[in-house]
Amino acid sequence: MVTIAVTPEASNEPRVAVSPDTVKKFVAAGCTVAIVSGAGLRSSFSDDAYKAQGAEIVSSPNDALPRADILLKVRRPSPEEFNTLKPGAIVVAMLDPYGQRTEIETLAATKATLFAMELMPRTTRAQAMDVLSSQANLAGYKAVVDAASKFGGALPMMMTPAGTVPAAKTFIMGVGVAGLQAIATARRLGAIVTATDVRPATKEQVQSLGAKFIAVEDEEFLQAQTAGGYAKQMSAAYQAKQAELVANHLKTQDIVITTALIPGRPAPRLITSDMVASMKPGAVIIDLAAERGGNCELTKPGETITTANGVKIIGPINLAGTVPVNASNLYARNLAAFVDLMISKEDKSLAIDWDDELIKGTLIAKDGEIVHPSLTEKTA
Ligand code: NAD
């Protein structure tokens, strides 16, 4: 019988790692699910809702962690939580594997088995476990809603007897999962939408959502996608051409949403302070890459600033966490699909196939050692 523990997240993280729906799945698979009272409240999941699906509600982490085979979290657990776990226990979370590297080593030394959900391979089989997609999709939606509320104008064009309200010009930079949802949401609200990316595959996706694609489409652009479907770091020459194109376009935009990321690297710098200075007063930039250094030079993570020329720059951290009900529901399903791989259907015990590509792809530490190639190579 596998015991799963769920403890509350830190005060800045409203999401939770299980939903009543996934508790039901775990219980049906023969697991015990011990949830610390109140862990789901900020996602609107009450203790009673969990209990109704078969969870055991406990009063403190100490009642769950020492007997847990698996700890499910949204963010990296605290060192205290690690020290309370039994050695070898499995931790599944968005562990931020490339951030605060020394702490990762300390946590690995507790001999916990660490799985970082951010490293889930982008394969068809892993789609149901893809936390980056499930959360980025909601972040892309919320960025547009937040931008609309901060912008001093309306998004759709309106013809009224008193005159015409123009549609807001909205520019989406980076057309991954978040960017695509941002385009779709801005279109639904009636904005005129343009978008850019360095991966050629995005052109058709942008057009199919009714937006206009803007990019430097040279030879380098045609090669800019890795086999894994991610963007490559572009050359300085490409970045200069891209910057010129973007600079001219930004001058006319009302709302700009930036989502550009390159895995394992700081976010590419796409909007300089000079570009911001050339933008219209009242324009709003929402920088979804704020946590990874920002796509805009002036972004301050977690803050909203207004420049001398009246441009608002918002650097949200954890936008998905501002729609915690949906974000937790989807995240919990991602985790449940992953944990399902680890439990034997025959005797309901832990049975991990260490050669499974999804297990190997996300395992970052085991038996006191860091094992993920992307982390061992970095220290070499
Ligand atoms: P991401 O969060 O890593 O990056 C966001 C976007 O920024 C990407 O589209 C990237 O190309 C773009 N970008 C990077 N540098 C840029 C620059 N200098 N200028 C403009 N844009 C730049 O991406 P993501 O949302 O994780 O998606 C990456 C890819 O993976 C997409 O093709 C997506 O459809 C694909 N994907 C596949 C699966 C699957 O098959 N299971 C699941 C999810 C996503």
Side-chain angles (χ1 to χ4, degrees), residues 121-127 130 132-133 136 173-180 196-199 201-202 205 224-225 228-232 234 238-239 242 259-263 268 270:
R122 248 73 199 271
T123 59
T124 308
R125 186 175 154 239
Q127 261 175 3
D130 188 341
L132 293 182
S133 292
M173 303 183 73
V175 187
V177 178
L180 283 171
T196 189
D197 200 292
V198 290
R199 289 182 301 113
T202 58
Q205 295 166 350
Q225 181 154 320
Y230 284 110
K232 285 184 186 159
M234 305 303 277
Y238 184 92
Q239 286 179 30
Q242 185 188 32
T259 76
L261 290 175
I262 301 157
L270 303 178

Side-chain angles (χ1 to χ4, degrees), residues 41 53 94 132 143 186 190 196 205 244 255 272 275 288 301 325 375:
L41 274 184
Q53 301 304 335
M94 290 190 280
L132 293 182
T196 189
Q205 295 166 350
E244 194 185 334
I255 292 174
T272 62
M275 293 182 198
L288 263 65
V325 176
L375 288 166

Side-chain angles (χ1 to χ4, degrees), residues 36 49 62 109 149 170 179 198 215 237 244 280 298 357:
V36 175
N62 287 339
S149 80
T170 302
V198 290
E244 194 185 334
K280 297 196 289 187
L298 300 177
E357 52 151 357

Side-chain angles (χ1 to χ4, degrees), residues 223-344:
Q223 311 296 327
Q225 181 154 320
T226 65
Y230 284 110
K232 285 184 186 159
Q233 170 87 356
M234 305 303 277
S235 70
Y238 184 92
Q239 286 179 30
K241 284 191 272 182
Q242 185 188 32
E244 194 185 334
L245 182 78
V246 165
N248 282 324
H249 190 59
L250 284 172
K251 289 177 189 160
T252 61
Q253 298 305 301
D254 298 306
I255 292 174
V256 180
I257 292 172
T258 69
T259 76
L261 290 175
I262 301 157
R265 301 187 72 100
R269 203 35 74 70
L270 303 178
I271 305 181
T272 62
S273 49
D274 283 351
M275 293 182 198
V276 175
S278 75
M279 289 175 71
K280 297 196 289 187
V284 176
I285 299 175
I286 298 209
D287 190 345
L288 263 65
E291 262 175 298
R292 298 264 299 276
N295 292 139
C296 173
E297 194 178 349
L298 300 177
T299 300
K300 292 210 167 31
E303 289 181 32
T304 298
I305 60 160
T306 305
T307 63
N309 63 322
V311 176
K312 275 199 191 81
I313 305 174
I314 305 171
I317 36 185
N318 196 6
L319 256 189
T322 66
V323 273
V325 176
N326 304 122
S328 296
N329 255 315
L330 299 183
Y331 180 73
R333 279 195 214 148
N334 294 144
L335 292 197
F338 184 55
V339 170
D340 185 57
L341 297 178
M342 303 183 188
I343 297 172
S344 152

